[in-house]
Amino acid sequence: MDRSEAEDPDRPASQSGIRLLLPSREFLLSRKGLLLLAEAGLSFIIFICFIASKAASFLTVPLLTFLLALCFFFAYSLKLNEKFKATYWLLAYFLCCVIAAVIYFAISIAAVSKYSDGAAKAAGVFGFIATIVYAVDFYLTFNGLVTSLKQSDSSDAPEQHRSEEDVSDSDSD
């Protein structure tokens, strides 16, 4: 009995430790979580297609975007963006999305037009879909970035605005 009692407390503790690394259900169903999962999934599919095709020279881009999407996915799901305030997460993620969308568009055009095998064409089609997903994501991230910058400017603006009014009132006297 001592052994079963000793095992019971360990099981919930180990499950809670594993649960800490898994993303929450709310994040998985959020827009950011779904977009990051779509980016990671599409990048992985494109990576596999490029491995099977003659256009193997393009496989580094999907591999890197897959790894970056996973890193951002776990960073946002573990709320590292709230823990590490020194890193400006929105700007880093915005730049990652813009660069990925542009590069995916370029390699998709090259894969579809230059290579005749089916795997390269499939990678190109999935690359165009990934371009759209990344473009939607960087548009939404840009709107969040602008909103964030406006909020930080509005908190600083009343003090500056008051000082300008005081200066203008003293000049009119």
Side-chain angles (χ1 to χ4, degrees):
M1 284 196 181
D2 293 331
R3 184 175 184 178
S4 64
E5 290 174 2
E7 289 178 4
D8 288 339
D10 290 339
R11 285 184 184 171
S14 65
Q15 289 176 353
S16 65
I18 292 173
R19 286 272 182 201
L20 292 174
L21 295 177
L22 295 176
S24 67
R25 185 169 178 84
E26 295 84 25
F27 178 74
L28 284 175
L29 297 176
S30 71
R31 183 173 51 193
K32 175 74 74 186
L34 290 174
L35 282 171
L36 282 167
L37 282 176
E39 291 167 2
L42 282 169
S43 296
F44 185 72
I45 291 170
I46 296 166
F47 176 69
I48 296 299
C49 289
F50 277 133
I51 287 175
S53 74
K54 295 177 184 176
S57 60
F58 295 133
L59 65 88
T60 56
V61 173
L63 178 64
L64 290 177
T65 56
F66 171 70
L67 293 175
L68 279 172
L70 284 181
C71 287
F72 278 113
F73 179 77
F74 283 111
Y76 279 116
S77 67
L78 296 174
K79 298 183 180 180
L80 294 178
N81 57 333
E82 296 173 3
K83 294 177 184 173
F84 299 110
K85 297 286 186 180
T87 306
Y88 202 64
W89 291 92
L90 275 177
L91 184 60
Y93 185 64
F94 171 74
L95 290 175
C96 179
C97 287
V98 169
I99 292 168
V102 169
I103 292 175
Y104 266 130
F105 186 69
I107 67 169
S108 296
I109 289 175
V112 169
S113 65
K114 188 175 179 183
Y115 297 97
S116 61
D117 59 332
K121 300 253 187 230
V125 170
F126 281 118
F128 285 126
I129 295 169
T131 300
I132 293 169
V133 170
Y134 274 105
V136 166
D137 201 6
F138 82 69
Y139 173 75
L140 296 172
T141 304
F142 178 74
N143 287 339
L145 186 64
V146 168
T147 306
S148 170
L149 290 174
K150 282 183 181 179
Q151 287 175 353
S152 66
D153 286 343
S154 66
S155 64
D156 294 338
E159 296 171 3
Q160 294 174 352
H161 185 64
R162 288 180 192 156
S163 64
E164 290 174 5
E165 286 177 358
D166 294 338
V167 171
S168 65
D169 288 342
S170 64
D171 290 340
S172 63
D173 291 334

